[in-house]
Amino acid sequence: MKVLLATSNPGKLRELQALLADSGIQVLPQTAFQVREAPETGLSFVENALLKARNAARQTGLPSIADDSGLEVDALHGAPGIYSARYAGPGASDADNINKLLRDLQYLPMEKRTARFRCSMTYLRDAADAAPLICEGVWEGRILEAPRGKNGFGYDPVFLVPERQCSSAELGPTDKNRLSHRGQALRKLVAQLTAVPG
Ligand code: IMP
């Protein structure tokens, strides 16, 4: 089974490819097909994930998996949420976004820095699929006061994983995939995709 991975984010791509390595699903990155990215105009994670998967399926004719994910910070009423990639403005780097987040949370004590990563993972058989598979994952943590660790991408250096007392950028890739929002959502999706009917 060949499936297109509808993301151009190298960090996500690495994680998704590792998670699917033993699934029997052959994954192709959308960068190999010069897929033009869809504008993320949805107002929810699931809407944006569907937009990305449908865009890729339409341009390639292949079944497509897409995720939309982001960080929700309780003290910011759920921001940056679906705007996580562009929190510090259009074209913001991971460092820009982290710096803005740390400024916004300055002086906030640790017990009030609760946050979570959320992921919607979608699978479309083709661009006209009216019954897509949709799976969700949530990873609870807190926002650190300063970055720690070099692994991962995005907000990983400032996301405290309470059960490990380290940042998610200090976890190895296997440990992050075992715990993360994306790992949870993709495992559920693969279970549905590979389930034998009847
Ligand atoms: P998307 O590509 O529109 O789904 O944007 C997702 C954004 O959320 C990323 O660019 C990161 O800023 C953030 N994000 C999502 N998942 C993770 C993660 O696993 N670690 C760190 N940041 C993440």
Side-chain angles (χ1 to χ4, degrees), residues 17 31 41 51 57 65 79 88 90 105 107 127 132 136 143 146 160-161 168 170 173:
Q17 283 175 323
T31 40
T41 52
L51 283 173
I65 290 177
L105 300 182
Y107 309 124
E136 310 270 347
I143 304 302
L160 174 73
V161 182
S168 65
E170 292 174 307

Side-chain angles (χ1 to χ4, degrees), residues 10-112:
K12 275 190 191 178
L13 194 61
R14 256 195 317 275
E15 292 182 10
L16 293 169
Q17 283 175 323
L19 279 159
L20 290 168
D22 299 326
S23 65
I25 300 170
Q26 189 189 340
V27 288
L28 309 162
Q30 72 173 11
T31 40
F33 293 81
Q34 283 88 43
V35 171
R36 294 172 305 284
E37 285 191 32
E40 287 183 37
T41 52
L43 293 179
S44 62
F45 292 107
V46 65
E47 285 173 278
N48 282 335
L50 285 169
L51 283 173
K52 291 185 216 177
R54 193 174 298 117
N55 174 67
R58 188 176 288 137
Q59 290 185 46
T60 62
L62 289 168
S64 298
I65 290 177
D67 100 316
D68 196 65
S69 48
L71 180 69
E72 295 174 347
V73 179
D74 291 324
L76 302 174
H77 312 289
I82 57 168
Y83 306 108
S84 293
R86 42 196 154 131
Y87 187 43
S93 67
D94 288 345
D96 296 336
N97 288 331
I98 286 179
N99 288 336
K100 173 164 168 50
L101 181 67
L102 293 182
R103 269 197 313 276
D104 290 350
L105 300 182
Q106 221 176 3
Y107 309 124
L108 194 71
M110 208 51 192
E111 69 271 16
K112 295 198 173 147

